[in-house]
Amino acid sequence: MPKVTRPANEKGDFLVDYEEKVFEDVKAEPGEKALVTFHTVAFEGSIGFVNLLQATRLQRKGFETSILLYGPGVTLGVKRGFPTLGDAAFPGHLNFNDQIAKFIAEGGKVYACRFALQALYGHGEGALIEGIRPINPLDVLDVVLLHRKAGAFILDTWTL
């Protein structure tokens, strides 16, 4: 049996070179847009939260950034908490709420499909985080097409 002689990792150790950046730091040209779509359920994987962080990063790089929540994606935009709304039942429980609120506060736009909100998940518009704009289900495709026509960067977020 091989013997491990390397000391155990300690708090504060560096395991990778986190400072090296390989690619240039791309910034938006004036008027450039980005759209991040979400067809994923809150808490069923990391992609929902990771791409909320990506949307925030796009906004900070100067892109006029919008988020589209449709289908199960509307679950990212509802107010949550336990035992009351706004209370974190466990660390990270309010990650989606907090990140969406931060994104909106920094100038981002968030849209949520009314059909998915009511017909699929039984929520009303009052369940949405403040600042999210409810939209008609017929607007879901049109917001994507409008961003496409504008030459926007589009990041689609899906889980099955």
Side-chain angles (χ1 to χ4, degrees):
M1 173 82 71
K3 190 171 193 170
V4 177
T5 58
R6 186 188 179 289
N9 294 343
E10 298 290 332
K11 184 176 180 178
D13 286 352
F14 298 99
L15 302 180
V16 299
D17 180 354
Y18 70 90
E19 290 183 332
E20 180 190 23
K21 185 152 177 11
V22 176
F23 302 102
E24 71 175 279
D25 187 19
V26 177
K27 303 287 186 195
E29 297 293 327
E32 279 193 294
K33 296 181 178 195
L35 174 67
V36 182
T37 72
F38 290 84
H39 193 281
T40 187
V41 179
F43 298 106
E44 286 200 3
S46 63
I47 194 65
F49 188 66
V50 167
N51 279 348
L52 284 175
L53 294 172
Q54 295 287 47
T56 302
R57 188 150 186 250
L58 284 163
Q59 181 77 16
R60 290 176 180 171
K61 285 177 162 290
F63 290 87
E64 182 185 315
T65 307
S66 299
I67 287 174
L68 170 63
L69 307 174
Y70 70 113
V74 299
T75 63
L76 277 72
V78 296
K79 296 173 192 171
R80 53 181 37 88
F82 190 84
T84 64
L85 292 178
D87 293 334
F90 54 86
H93 182 212
L94 301 179
N95 279 352
F96 296 107
N97 293 66
D98 294 343
Q99 195 60 39
I100 288 173
K102 181 186 296 185
F103 176 77
I104 291 170
E106 292 183 15
K109 295 178 230 141
V110 182
Y111 303 98
C113 175
R114 285 181 168 122
F115 176 83
L117 192 64
Q118 178 177 320
L120 302 181
Y121 297 100
H123 290 291
E125 294 175 14
L128 292 172
I129 296 165
E130 287 80 12
I132 295 179
R133 175 80 164 95
I135 61 172
N136 186 295
L138 298 176
D139 285 328
V140 169
L141 181 58
D142 287 327
V143 72
V144 174
L145 293 173
L146 287 169
H147 277 81
R148 181 180 171 269
K149 279 187 173 188
F153 170 74
I154 300 175
L155 178 61
D156 291 310
T157 305
W158 278 79
T159 51
L160 303 174

PDB file of all heavy atoms in Angstrom, residues 3 8 14 33-34 41 48 57 63 69-70 100-101 119 122 125 134 138 143 150:
ATOM      1  N   LYS A   3       2.299   4.908   0.714  1.00  0.00           N
ATOM      2  CA  LYS A   3       2.219   5.755   1.895  1.00  0.00           C
ATOM      3  C   LYS A   3       2.074   7.215   1.451  1.00  0.00           C
ATOM      4  O   LYS A   3       2.807   7.681   0.580  1.00  0.00           O
ATOM      5  CB  LYS A   3       3.492   5.585   2.724  1.00  0.00           C
ATOM      6  CG  LYS A   3       3.415   6.220   4.072  1.00  0.00           C
ATOM      7  CD  LYS A   3       4.601   5.821   4.916  1.00  0.00           C
ATOM      8  CE  LYS A   3       4.309   6.220   6.339  1.00  0.00           C
ATOM      9  NZ  LYS A   3       5.273   5.680   7.253  1.00  0.00           N
ATOM     10  N   ALA A   8      -1.521  17.285   4.970  1.00  0.00           N
ATOM     11  CA  ALA A   8      -2.926  17.553   4.658  1.00  0.00           C
ATOM     12  C   ALA A   8      -3.108  19.023   4.278  1.00  0.00           C
ATOM     13  O   ALA A   8      -2.374  19.903   4.751  1.00  0.00           O
ATOM     14  CB  ALA A   8      -3.791  17.214   5.866  1.00  0.00           C
ATOM     15  N   PHE A  14      -3.337  27.532  -1.080  1.00  0.00           N
ATOM     16  CA  PHE A  14      -3.738  27.724  -2.469  1.00  0.00           C
ATOM     17  C   PHE A  14      -3.522  26.410  -3.196  1.00  0.00           C
ATOM     18  O   PHE A  14      -2.443  25.838  -3.146  1.00  0.00           O
ATOM     19  CB  PHE A  14      -2.889  28.804  -3.154  1.00  0.00           C
ATOM     20  CG  PHE A  14      -3.022  30.159  -2.530  1.00  0.00           C
ATOM     21  CD1 PHE A  14      -2.080  30.631  -1.641  1.00  0.00           C
ATOM     22  CD2 PHE A  14      -4.103  30.966  -2.854  1.00  0.00           C
ATOM     23  CE1 PHE A  14      -2.200  31.885  -1.074  1.00  0.00           C
ATOM     24  CE2 PHE A  14      -4.238  32.222  -2.284  1.00  0.00           C
ATOM     25  CZ  PHE A  14      -3.290  32.689  -1.392  1.00  0.00           C
ATOM     26  N   LYS A  33     -26.418  44.191 -25.825  1.00  0.00           N
ATOM     27  CA  LYS A  33     -27.385  43.575 -24.930  1.00  0.00           C
ATOM     28  C   LYS A  33     -27.034  42.117 -24.668  1.00  0.00           C
ATOM     29  O   LYS A  33     -26.318  41.496 -25.443  1.00  0.00           O
ATOM     30  CB  LYS A  33     -28.788  43.634 -25.547  1.00  0.00           C
ATOM     31  CG  LYS A  33     -29.314  45.029 -25.729  1.00  0.00           C
ATOM     32  CD  LYS A  33     -30.715  44.993 -26.311  1.00  0.00           C
ATOM     33  CE  LYS A  33     -31.230  46.412 -26.437  1.00  0.00           C
ATOM     34  NZ  LYS A  33     -32.666  46.446 -26.652  1.00  0.00           N
ATOM     35  N   ALA A  34     -27.610  41.604 -23.590  1.00  0.00           N
ATOM     36  CA  ALA A  34     -27.492  40.183 -23.257  1.00  0.00           C
ATOM     37  C   ALA A  34     -28.819  39.727 -22.670  1.00  0.00           C
ATOM     38  O   ALA A  34     -29.514  40.498 -22.003  1.00  0.00           O
ATOM     39  CB  ALA A  34     -26.364  39.944 -22.260  1.00  0.00           C
ATOM     40  N   VAL A  41     -35.543  24.452 -12.548  1.00  0.00           N
ATOM     41  CA  VAL A  41     -36.212  24.528 -11.254  1.00  0.00           C
ATOM     42  C   VAL A  41     -35.218  24.975 -10.187  1.00  0.00           C
ATOM     43  O   VAL A  41     -34.093  24.475 -10.121  1.00  0.00           O
ATOM     44  CB  VAL A  41     -36.805  23.149 -10.873  1.00  0.00           C
ATOM     45  CG1 VAL A  41     -37.481  23.195  -9.514  1.00  0.00           C
ATOM     46  CG2 VAL A  41     -37.778  22.686 -11.936  1.00  0.00           C
ATOM     47  N   GLY A  48     -29.023  27.131 -12.188  1.00  0.00           N
ATOM     48  CA  GLY A  48     -29.847  28.323 -11.969  1.00  0.00           C
ATOM     49  C   GLY A  48     -29.074  29.410 -11.249  1.00  0.00           C
ATOM     50  O   GLY A  48     -29.050  30.565 -11.679  1.00  0.00           O
ATOM     51  N   ARG A  57     -22.682  39.299 -13.858  1.00  0.00           N
ATOM     52  CA  ARG A  57     -21.366  39.618 -14.422  1.00  0.00           C
ATOM     53  C   ARG A  57     -21.512  40.307 -15.783  1.00  0.00           C
ATOM     54  O   ARG A  57     -20.795  41.261 -16.085  1.00  0.00           O
ATOM     55  CB  ARG A  57     -20.521  38.350 -14.545  1.00  0.00           C
ATOM     56  CG  ARG A  57     -19.094  38.646 -14.928  1.00  0.00           C
ATOM     57  CD  ARG A  57     -18.129  37.634 -14.378  1.00  0.00           C
ATOM     58  NE  ARG A  57     -16.778  38.070 -14.684  1.00  0.00           N
ATOM     59  CZ  ARG A  57     -15.990  37.471 -15.555  1.00  0.00           C
ATOM     60  NH1 ARG A  57     -16.389  36.397 -16.191  1.00  0.00           N
ATOM     61  NH2 ARG A  57     -14.784  37.937 -15.794  1.00  0.00           N
ATOM     62  N   PHE A  63     -23.119  45.185 -20.444  1.00  0.00           N
ATOM     63  CA  PHE A  63     -24.217  44.740 -21.294  1.00  0.00           C
ATOM     64  C   PHE A  63     -25.546  45.154 -20.660  1.00  0.00           C
ATOM     65  O   PHE A  63     -25.712  45.049 -19.442  1.00  0.00           O
ATOM     66  CB  PHE A  63     -24.210  43.211 -21.458  1.00  0.00           C
ATOM     67  CG  PHE A  63     -23.078  42.692 -22.292  1.00  0.00           C
ATOM     68  CD1 PHE A  63     -21.849  42.404 -21.717  1.00  0.00           C
ATOM     69  CD2 PHE A  63     -23.241  42.492 -23.652  1.00  0.00           C
ATOM     70  CE1 PHE A  63     -20.796  41.920 -22.480  1.00  0.00           C
ATOM     71  CE2 PHE A  63     -22.189  42.008 -24.429  1.00  0.00           C
ATOM     72  CZ  PHE A  63     -20.970  41.726 -23.838  1.00  0.00           C
ATOM     73  N   LEU A  69     -37.492  34.325 -17.039  1.00  0.00           N
ATOM     74  CA  LEU A  69     -37.891  33.165 -16.262  1.00  0.00           C
ATOM     75  C   LEU A  69     -39.162  32.606 -16.893  1.00  0.00           C
ATOM     76  O   LEU A  69     -40.177  33.294 -16.954  1.00  0.00           O
ATOM     77  CB  LEU A  69     -38.175  33.548 -14.808  1.00  0.00           C
ATOM     78  CG  LEU A  69     -37.067  34.305 -14.070  1.00  0.00           C
ATOM     79  CD1 LEU A  69     -37.561  34.743 -12.690  1.00  0.00           C
ATOM     80  CD2 LEU A  69     -35.820  33.452 -13.951  1.00  0.00           C
ATOM     81  N   TYR A  70     -39.092  31.379 -17.397  1.00  0.00           N
ATOM     82  CA  TYR A  70     -40.274  30.761 -17.998  1.00  0.00           C
ATOM     83  C   TYR A  70     -40.291  29.280 -17.667  1.00  0.00           C
ATOM     84  O   TYR A  70     -39.277  28.719 -17.245  1.00  0.00           O
ATOM     85  CB  TYR A  70     -40.331  31.022 -19.508  1.00  0.00           C
ATOM     86  CG  TYR A  70     -39.288  30.313 -20.331  1.00  0.00           C
ATOM     87  CD1 TYR A  70     -39.662  29.314 -21.224  1.00  0.00           C
ATOM     88  CD2 TYR A  70     -37.941  30.626 -20.230  1.00  0.00           C
ATOM     89  CE1 TYR A  70     -38.710  28.655 -21.997  1.00  0.00           C
ATOM     90  CE2 TYR A  70     -36.992  29.980 -20.999  1.00  0.00           C
ATOM     91  CZ  TYR A  70     -37.390  28.990 -21.876  1.00  0.00           C
ATOM     92  OH  TYR A  70     -36.457  28.333 -22.630  1.00  0.00           O
ATOM     93  N   ILE A 100     -31.193  37.771  -7.424  1.00  0.00           N
ATOM     94  CA  ILE A 100     -32.112  38.478  -8.326  1.00  0.00           C
ATOM     95  C   ILE A 100     -32.308  39.912  -7.856  1.00  0.00           C
ATOM     96  O   ILE A 100     -32.288  40.844  -8.666  1.00  0.00           O
ATOM     97  CB  ILE A 100     -33.441  37.718  -8.453  1.00  0.00           C
ATOM     98  CG1 ILE A 100     -33.226  36.445  -9.289  1.00  0.00           C
ATOM     99  CG2 ILE A 100     -34.515  38.591  -9.080  1.00  0.00           C
ATOM    100  CD1 ILE A 100     -34.424  35.512  -9.343  1.00  0.00           C
ATOM    101  N   ALA A 101     -32.485  40.115  -6.557  1.00  0.00           N
ATOM    102  CA  ALA A 101     -32.649  41.474  -6.026  1.00  0.00           C
ATOM    103  C   ALA A 101     -31.408  42.327  -6.317  1.00  0.00           C
ATOM    104  O   ALA A 101     -31.521  43.500  -6.699  1.00  0.00           O
ATOM    105  CB  ALA A 101     -32.936  41.430  -4.526  1.00  0.00           C
ATOM    106  N   ALA A 119     -50.470  28.715 -13.979  1.00  0.00           N
ATOM    107  CA  ALA A 119     -50.972  27.420 -14.433  1.00  0.00           C
ATOM    108  C   ALA A 119     -50.091  26.259 -13.987  1.00  0.00           C
ATOM    109  O   ALA A 119     -50.595  25.186 -13.676  1.00  0.00           O
ATOM    110  CB  ALA A 119     -51.110  27.410 -15.956  1.00  0.00           C
ATOM    111  N   GLY A 122     -49.003  27.551  -9.540  1.00  0.00           N
ATOM    112  CA  GLY A 122     -50.014  28.008  -8.605  1.00  0.00           C
ATOM    113  C   GLY A 122     -49.678  29.271  -7.845  1.00  0.00           C
ATOM    114  O   GLY A 122     -50.144  29.466  -6.725  1.00  0.00           O
ATOM    115  N   GLU A 125     -48.980  36.963  -9.215  1.00  0.00           N
ATOM    116  CA  GLU A 125     -47.924  37.954  -9.431  1.00  0.00           C
ATOM    117  C   GLU A 125     -47.354  38.484  -8.120  1.00  0.00           C
ATOM    118  O   GLU A 125     -46.193  38.878  -8.055  1.00  0.00           O
ATOM    119  CB  GLU A 125     -48.452  39.082 -10.306  1.00  0.00           C
ATOM    120  CG  GLU A 125     -48.786  38.607 -11.706  1.00  0.00           C
ATOM    121  CD  GLU A 125     -49.420  39.664 -12.594  1.00  0.00           C
ATOM    122  OE1 GLU A 125     -49.389  40.867 -12.236  1.00  0.00           O
ATOM    123  OE2 GLU A 125     -49.936  39.288 -13.657  1.00  0.00           O
ATOM    124  N   PRO A 134     -43.967  40.602 -14.684  1.00  0.00           N
ATOM    125  CA  PRO A 134     -44.693  39.476 -15.255  1.00  0.00           C
ATOM    126  C   PRO A 134     -45.023  39.755 -16.724  1.00  0.00           C
ATOM    127  O   PRO A 134     -45.316  40.904 -17.094  1.00  0.00           O
ATOM    128  CB  PRO A 134     -45.983  39.401 -14.426  1.00  0.00           C
ATOM    129  CG  PRO A 134     -45.838  40.390 -13.327  1.00  0.00           C
ATOM    130  CD  PRO A 134     -44.733  41.312 -13.681  1.00  0.00           C
ATOM    131  N   LEU A 138     -47.195  34.740 -24.563  1.00  0.00           N
ATOM    132  CA  LEU A 138     -46.847  35.019 -25.953  1.00  0.00           C
ATOM    133  C   LEU A 138     -45.619  35.920 -26.060  1.00  0.00           C
ATOM    134  O   LEU A 138     -44.994  35.999 -27.116  1.00  0.00           O
ATOM    135  CB  LEU A 138     -48.037  35.655 -26.684  1.00  0.00           C
ATOM    136  CG  LEU A 138     -49.301  34.780 -26.763  1.00  0.00           C
ATOM    137  CD1 LEU A 138     -50.439  35.558 -27.413  1.00  0.00           C
ATOM    138  CD2 LEU A 138     -49.018  33.484 -27.498  1.00  0.00           C
ATOM    139  N   VAL A 143     -39.528  38.124 -26.612  1.00  0.00           N
ATOM    140  CA  VAL A 143     -38.381  38.747 -25.947  1.00  0.00           C
ATOM    141  C   VAL A 143     -37.078  38.124 -26.448  1.00  0.00           C
ATOM    142  O   VAL A 143     -36.074  38.818 -26.641  1.00  0.00           O
ATOM    143  CB  VAL A 143     -38.498  38.721 -24.405  1.00  0.00           C
ATOM    144  CG1 VAL A 143     -38.304  37.331 -23.831  1.00  0.00           C
ATOM    145  CG2 VAL A 143     -37.508  39.683 -23.773  1.00  0.00           C
ATOM    146  N   ALA A 150     -31.513  42.283 -32.083  1.00  0.00           N
ATOM    147  CA  ALA A 150     -30.584  43.312 -31.604  1.00  0.00           C
ATOM    148  C   ALA A 150     -29.145  42.807 -31.578  1.00  0.00           C
ATOM    149  O   ALA A 150     -28.238  43.551 -31.191  1.00  0.00           O
ATOM    150  CB  ALA A 150     -31.009  43.781 -30.212  1.00  0.00           C
TER     151      ALA A 150
END
